[in-house]
Amino acid sequence: MKAFRTLDQADVKGKRVLVRVDLNVPMENGRITDATRIERILPTLRELSDKGGKLVILAHFGRPKGRDLKDTLRPVAEALGQHLKKPVAFADETIGPVAEAAVAALKDGDILVLENTRFHAGEEKNDPAFVKELAKLGDLYVNDAFSTAHRAHASTEGLAHLLPAFAGRTMEAELDALTKGLEAPTRPLVAIVGGAKVSSKIDLLENLVKKVDALVIGGGMANTFLHAMGMGIGKSLAEKDLAPTALRILAQARESNCAIILPVDGICAYEFKAGAANHAYGMDAIPDDQMILDVGPQSVERINAAINDAATLVWNGPLGAFEIAPFDQGTVAAARHAAARTKAGKLVSVAGGGDTVSALNHAGVADEFTYVSTAGGAFLEWLEGKPLPGVDALKA
Ligand code: AMP
């Protein structure tokens, strides 16, 4: 039994189903530039429609302050219809008589998108009066938007308390992957954390050292740790004022028996520029006038050995400045190694966070990981061990 209710337990035939999804797709000049989020919700919508539910879709778009038609969901609803290959109706209002009439007109299997939930201040405030107005429009509530589950908003959390609430298939897949990744993992459990700064990931590092057997630290943030440990890091990006924080995290790791794996060598250059002349140096010999832009070959070997030891891997953040070649090589090599171990059935690999998804795509292996989460903020808050209100509200 899962800890949350799924569509297997929902009887939707003839019922009005309020479905919260993520339609916050990137748009340029009225055109959707990446439809991944739409693709991800299709299985849930198809299943609910095929089972005869009357689908009333709720979503936010952008960050409008009140009603602002530049953030209307109308074009996104049209695109959704094209992806589903069936008509999708649109109501100009989220609540009130216009929305109620559009819902009343639905037949079994029909699909309606309501206007941007964030046109109402009550959405982000989780205002009970707004939740009540939304709840009038449905008999059941399905949440398929993991990416907004870290927010206790009316359409992501409030509704689950007024209507019978279920996880959609995308939410279910995400929660299953996260359970395998950190909550009930097969051990040894190894995490790789990279990226630019320690400051944005203090809570995450503190949570992970308590849970994982080994933590690989790479990217710019490794420099702060190396500096704190008294190593020379030349002109590398580092947050030197956070040296005490880095030392505290290392002490916490020792207490929790978590092995810390830091780079033993780095690819260094004089400038942060694609194709800049570069050289690998041992960590005890980083030149004063250069910066570390990637982990070196010995570090990659060490990281790959840690991946070999792992039964489960959780990954967030690139190991180097992967956007500019050749400083992508450490990240690419480790990502490919993790993908190969996953393919061989030796590893459960769960990765997520904005730059991580681009880095894995860049390495050409995003499809080969067990699960790659595209939910930026919610994935990070989950890595930080914080409660996710949208998920907690679905628990049986
Ligand atoms: P984050 O958003 O915290 O995951 O950080 C990702 C960013 O960190 C990417 O833009 C990388 O280019 C950058 N980064 C990773 N390693 C380094 C490094 N050694 N020096 C400078 N930037 C880096």
Side-chain angles (χ1 to χ4, degrees):
M1 253 283 279
K2 301 199 183 204
F4 49 92
R5 290 175 295 265
T6 71
L7 295 189
D8 295 329
Q9 287 131 306
D11 176 14
V12 302
K13 173 122 188 73
K15 305 260 177 65
R16 299 166 305 155
V17 189
L18 280 167
V19 194
R20 179 47 157 111
V21 295
D22 183 355
L23 286 178
N24 199 22
V25 288
M27 282 238 243
E28 265 168 40
N29 305 321
R31 279 196 49 244
I32 295 170
T33 53
D34 180 351
T36 309
R37 286 179 167 164
I38 293 181
E39 295 286 345
R40 286 213 163 194
I41 58 172
L42 298 180
T44 295
L45 300 184
R46 286 200 181 109
E47 179 175 342
L48 290 170
S49 171
D50 290 348
K51 286 182 171 170
K54 300 172 179 177
L55 275 61
V56 182
I57 293 181
L58 295 170
H60 77 276
F61 187 75
R63 296 176 180 270
K65 294 272 161 273
R67 190 175 175 86
D68 180 348
L69 284 180
K70 92 171 172 13
D71 287 324
T72 177
L73 271 173
R74 183 183 281 279
V76 187
E78 270 170 34
L80 178 62
Q82 287 157 12
H83 283 265
L84 280 168
K85 300 192 180 66
K86 66 183 286 174
V88 168
F90 181 74
D92 283 322
E93 302 285 348
T94 322
I95 52 168
V98 171
E100 285 163 22
V103 172
L106 292 175
K107 298 193 199 57
D108 293 2
D110 281 357
I111 302 178
L112 165 73
V113 174
L114 298 177
E115 184 55 287
N116 194 343
T117 52
R118 288 199 185 161
F119 281 6
H120 294 263
E123 164 71 340
E124 292 183 60
K125 289 192 189 127
N126 206 357
D127 174 4
F130 182 62
V131 179
K132 225 167 140 187
E133 284 298 309
L134 289 175
K136 273 198 217 165
L137 304 171
D139 305 304
L140 306 173
Y141 168 70
V142 171
N143 189 348
D144 211 23
F146 177 80
S147 56
T148 58
H150 55 315
R151 310 262 185 244
H153 292 174
S155 70
T156 64
E157 200 268 349
L159 269 176
H161 298 293
L162 290 196
L163 296 175
F166 306 87
R169 295 299 181 200
T170 306
M171 172 76 92
E172 184 183 346
E174 183 100 25
L175 296 180
D176 285 347
L178 299 192
T179 303
K180 272 195 230 157
L182 214 53
E183 269 137 51
T186 310
R187 290 182 181 268
L189 167 61
V190 174
I192 297 180
V193 180
K197 290 182 173 173
V198 172
S199 53
S200 58
K201 294 189 186 172
I202 296 171
D203 291 349
L204 185 154
L205 292 165
E206 286 188 327
N207 184 44
L208 286 181
V209 294
K210 279 188 262 153
K211 295 197 171 147
V212 307
D213 300 300
L215 173 65
V216 173
I217 303 176
M221 74 162 63
N223 302 335
T224 301
F225 281 88
L226 295 165
H227 165 76
M229 291 161 65
M231 312 251 195
I233 54 166
K235 289 190 173 159
S236 304
L237 172 78
E239 294 168 292
K240 294 189 173 165
D241 53 324
L242 285 185
T245 305
L247 293 176
R248 190 182 73 225
I249 292 167
L250 293 177
Q252 285 166 343
R254 266 194 304 278
E255 253 170 53
S256 308
N257 278 327
C258 166
I260 294 282
I261 298 164
L262 278 158
V264 290
D265 57 353
I267 306 290
C268 298
Y270 289 101
E271 45 183 355
F272 189 94
K273 207 173 106 186
N278 62 85
H279 198 278
Y281 292 95
M283 248 346 133
D284 54 355
I286 302 295
D288 284 346
D289 52 356
Q290 294 195 34
M291 57 184 99
I292 307 164
L293 290 176
D294 194 11
V295 291
Q298 287 176 35
S299 306
V300 171
E301 252 177 55
R302 180 75 195 84
I303 293 166
N304 285 352
I307 293 171
N308 289 342
D309 288 341
T312 306
L313 175 72
V314 173
W315 187 334
N316 169 262
L319 297 173
F322 77 100
E323 301 95 333
I324 52 170
F327 307 106
D328 56 340
Q329 285 182 12
T331 304
V332 168
R336 290 192 177 154
H337 188 68
R341 293 288 294 175
T342 307
K343 237 178 161 175
K346 308 272 190 214
L347 183 70
V348 170
S349 50
V350 178
D355 273 320
T356 315
V357 181
S358 351
L360 296 183
N361 278 329
H362 175 73
V365 296
D367 293 340
E368 291 169 27
F369 271 54
T370 309
Y371 195 81
V372 177
S373 173
T374 51
F379 184 83
L380 288 176
E381 291 201 19
W382 167 77
L383 279 183
E384 289 166 2
K386 295 191 175 145
L388 300 174
V391 171
D392 289 344
L394 297 176
K395 292 208 169 134

Short mmCIF file of all heavy atoms in Angstrom, two decimals, residues 10 12-13 35 45 57-58 79 103 108 123 152 169 185 193 212 265 269 288-289 310 321 330 347 358 374 390-391:
data_model
loop_
_atom_site.label_atom_id
_atom_site.label_comp_id
_atom_site.label_asym_id
_atom_site.label_seq_id
_atom_site.Cartn_x
_atom_site.Cartn_y
_atom_site.Cartn_z
N ALA A 10 -9.78 5.88 -7.20
CA ALA A 10 -10.75 6.96 -7.52
C ALA A 10 -11.82 6.46 -8.48
O ALA A 10 -11.51 5.88 -9.51
CB ALA A 10 -10.00 8.14 -8.14
N VAL A 12 -14.28 7.83 -10.93
CA VAL A 12 -14.47 9.15 -11.55
C VAL A 12 -15.63 9.22 -12.54
O VAL A 12 -15.98 10.30 -13.00
CB VAL A 12 -13.17 9.62 -12.25
CG1 VAL A 12 -12.02 9.67 -11.27
CG2 VAL A 12 -12.81 8.76 -13.45
N LYS A 13 -16.22 8.09 -12.89
CA LYS A 13 -17.25 8.09 -13.95
C LYS A 13 -18.38 9.06 -13.63
O LYS A 13 -19.01 9.00 -12.58
CB LYS A 13 -17.80 6.65 -14.11
CG LYS A 13 -18.96 6.54 -15.04
CD LYS A 13 -18.69 5.57 -16.19
CE LYS A 13 -19.79 5.60 -17.24
NZ LYS A 13 -19.79 6.79 -18.07
N ALA A 35 7.56 21.82 -24.42
CA ALA A 35 6.26 21.28 -24.02
C ALA A 35 6.39 20.10 -23.06
O ALA A 35 5.43 19.36 -22.85
CB ALA A 35 5.47 20.88 -25.26
N LEU A 45 -4.47 12.76 -17.69
CA LEU A 45 -5.67 13.35 -18.31
C LEU A 45 -6.38 12.32 -19.18
O LEU A 45 -7.60 12.20 -19.16
CB LEU A 45 -5.28 14.59 -19.13
CG LEU A 45 -4.61 15.71 -18.32
CD1 LEU A 45 -4.35 16.94 -19.20
CD2 LEU A 45 -5.46 16.13 -17.12
N ILE A 57 -9.58 21.46 -15.28
CA ILE A 57 -8.14 21.60 -15.04
C ILE A 57 -7.81 22.93 -14.37
O ILE A 57 -8.26 23.99 -14.81
CB ILE A 57 -7.38 21.44 -16.37
CG1 ILE A 57 -7.56 19.99 -16.84
CG2 ILE A 57 -5.90 21.80 -16.21
CD1 ILE A 57 -6.85 19.67 -18.13
N LEU A 58 -7.00 22.83 -13.31
CA LEU A 58 -6.53 24.01 -12.59
C LEU A 58 -5.02 24.10 -12.75
O LEU A 58 -4.32 23.10 -12.60
CB LEU A 58 -6.82 23.87 -11.10
CG LEU A 58 -8.29 23.84 -10.68
CD1 LEU A 58 -8.38 23.45 -9.20
CD2 LEU A 58 -8.92 25.20 -10.91
N ALA A 79 -2.85 24.47 -26.80
CA ALA A 79 -1.74 23.54 -27.04
C ALA A 79 -2.03 22.18 -26.40
O ALA A 79 -1.73 21.13 -26.97
CB ALA A 79 -0.44 24.12 -26.48
N VAL A 103 -18.37 24.43 -16.39
CA VAL A 103 -18.28 23.10 -15.77
C VAL A 103 -19.60 22.36 -15.97
O VAL A 103 -19.62 21.16 -16.30
CB VAL A 103 -17.94 23.22 -14.26
CG1 VAL A 103 -18.04 21.86 -13.57
CG2 VAL A 103 -16.54 23.80 -14.07
N ASP A 108 -19.44 13.52 -19.85
CA ASP A 108 -18.44 12.55 -19.41
C ASP A 108 -17.27 12.50 -20.41
O ASP A 108 -17.50 12.40 -21.61
CB ASP A 108 -19.05 11.14 -19.29
CG ASP A 108 -20.08 11.07 -18.17
OD1 ASP A 108 -20.33 12.11 -17.53
OD2 ASP A 108 -20.63 9.97 -17.96
N GLU A 123 -5.34 32.35 -4.12
CA GLU A 123 -4.59 31.14 -4.48
C GLU A 123 -3.34 31.00 -3.61
O GLU A 123 -3.17 30.02 -2.89
CB GLU A 123 -4.23 31.20 -5.97
CG GLU A 123 -3.13 30.22 -6.43
CD GLU A 123 -3.56 28.76 -6.46
OE1 GLU A 123 -4.54 28.42 -5.80
OE2 GLU A 123 -2.87 27.96 -7.13
N ALA A 152 1.90 25.61 -0.17
CA ALA A 152 0.56 25.35 0.37
C ALA A 152 -0.39 26.38 -0.20
O ALA A 152 -0.76 27.35 0.47
CB ALA A 152 0.59 25.39 1.89
N ARG A 169 -1.02 10.27 -12.04
CA ARG A 169 0.03 9.30 -12.37
C ARG A 169 1.43 9.90 -12.36
O ARG A 169 2.40 9.24 -12.01
CB ARG A 169 -0.26 8.68 -13.75
CG ARG A 169 -1.53 7.84 -13.79
CD ARG A 169 -1.48 6.66 -12.84
NE ARG A 169 -2.72 5.86 -12.92
CZ ARG A 169 -3.11 5.02 -11.97
NH1 ARG A 169 -2.39 4.86 -10.87
NH2 ARG A 169 -4.23 4.33 -12.11
N PRO A 185 15.66 3.81 0.62
CA PRO A 185 16.60 3.42 -0.45
C PRO A 185 17.26 2.07 -0.17
O PRO A 185 17.38 1.68 1.00
CB PRO A 185 17.66 4.53 -0.39
CG PRO A 185 17.66 4.96 1.04
CD PRO A 185 16.25 4.80 1.54
N VAL A 193 26.50 16.10 -5.00
CA VAL A 193 25.98 17.47 -4.98
C VAL A 193 27.05 18.39 -5.57
O VAL A 193 28.20 18.39 -5.14
CB VAL A 193 25.62 17.93 -3.54
CG1 VAL A 193 25.09 19.35 -3.58
CG2 VAL A 193 24.57 17.00 -2.94
N VAL A 212 22.83 9.84 3.88
CA VAL A 212 23.54 9.03 2.86
C VAL A 212 24.81 8.41 3.45
O VAL A 212 25.32 8.85 4.48
CB VAL A 212 23.89 9.88 1.60
CG1 VAL A 212 22.65 10.57 1.05
CG2 VAL A 212 24.97 10.92 1.91
N ASP A 265 41.80 16.56 -7.63
CA ASP A 265 42.46 17.38 -8.66
C ASP A 265 41.41 18.22 -9.38
O ASP A 265 40.21 17.96 -9.26
CB ASP A 265 43.26 16.51 -9.65
CG ASP A 265 42.42 15.45 -10.35
OD1 ASP A 265 41.23 15.28 -9.98
OD2 ASP A 265 42.94 14.79 -11.27
N ALA A 269 42.02 26.99 -15.31
CA ALA A 269 42.24 27.91 -16.43
C ALA A 269 42.42 29.32 -15.87
O ALA A 269 42.08 29.58 -14.72
CB ALA A 269 41.04 27.87 -17.37
N ASP A 288 48.14 29.96 -8.05
CA ASP A 288 47.48 31.12 -7.42
C ASP A 288 46.68 31.96 -8.40
O ASP A 288 45.71 32.60 -8.03
CB ASP A 288 48.54 32.05 -6.80
CG ASP A 288 49.07 31.47 -5.52
OD1 ASP A 288 48.43 30.51 -5.01
OD2 ASP A 288 50.13 31.94 -5.04
N ASP A 289 47.14 31.99 -9.67
CA ASP A 289 46.51 32.90 -10.64
C ASP A 289 45.51 32.18 -11.56
O ASP A 289 45.13 32.72 -12.59
CB ASP A 289 47.59 33.61 -11.47
CG ASP A 289 48.57 32.62 -12.09
OD1 ASP A 289 48.44 31.40 -11.80
OD2 ASP A 289 49.45 33.05 -12.86
N ALA A 310 27.73 2.18 -4.96
CA ALA A 310 26.37 2.57 -4.58
C ALA A 310 25.33 1.61 -5.15
O ALA A 310 25.48 1.10 -6.26
CB ALA A 310 26.07 3.98 -5.09
N ALA A 321 31.83 23.72 -14.49
CA ALA A 321 31.12 24.73 -15.30
C ALA A 321 30.73 24.08 -16.63
O ALA A 321 31.33 24.36 -17.67
CB ALA A 321 32.01 25.94 -15.50
N GLY A 330 34.01 16.44 -16.65
CA GLY A 330 33.84 15.69 -15.40
C GLY A 330 32.38 15.29 -15.21
O GLY A 330 32.06 14.13 -14.92
N LEU A 347 22.17 -0.05 -10.34
CA LEU A 347 22.01 1.23 -9.64
C LEU A 347 20.61 1.80 -9.86
O LEU A 347 20.08 1.75 -10.97
CB LEU A 347 23.06 2.22 -10.20
CG LEU A 347 23.14 3.59 -9.56
CD1 LEU A 347 23.72 3.49 -8.14
CD2 LEU A 347 24.03 4.54 -10.40
N SER A 358 19.60 19.95 -17.28
CA SER A 358 20.33 20.37 -18.49
C SER A 358 21.66 19.64 -18.60
O SER A 358 22.08 19.28 -19.70
CB SER A 358 20.61 21.86 -18.57
OG SER A 358 19.98 22.58 -17.62
N THR A 374 11.90 16.98 -13.03
CA THR A 374 12.01 18.32 -13.63
C THR A 374 11.45 19.38 -12.68
O THR A 374 11.36 20.55 -13.03
CB THR A 374 11.23 18.38 -14.96
OG1 THR A 374 9.92 17.88 -14.72
CG2 THR A 374 11.90 17.57 -16.03
N GLY A 390 1.72 19.90 -0.44
CA GLY A 390 0.86 19.33 -1.49
C GLY A 390 0.87 17.81 -1.47
O GLY A 390 -0.11 17.16 -1.86
N VAL A 391 1.98 17.22 -1.04
CA VAL A 391 2.08 15.76 -0.96
C VAL A 391 1.45 15.28 0.35
O VAL A 391 0.65 14.33 0.36
CB VAL A 391 3.56 15.32 -1.03
CG1 VAL A 391 3.69 13.83 -0.72
CG2 VAL A 391 4.14 15.63 -2.39
#
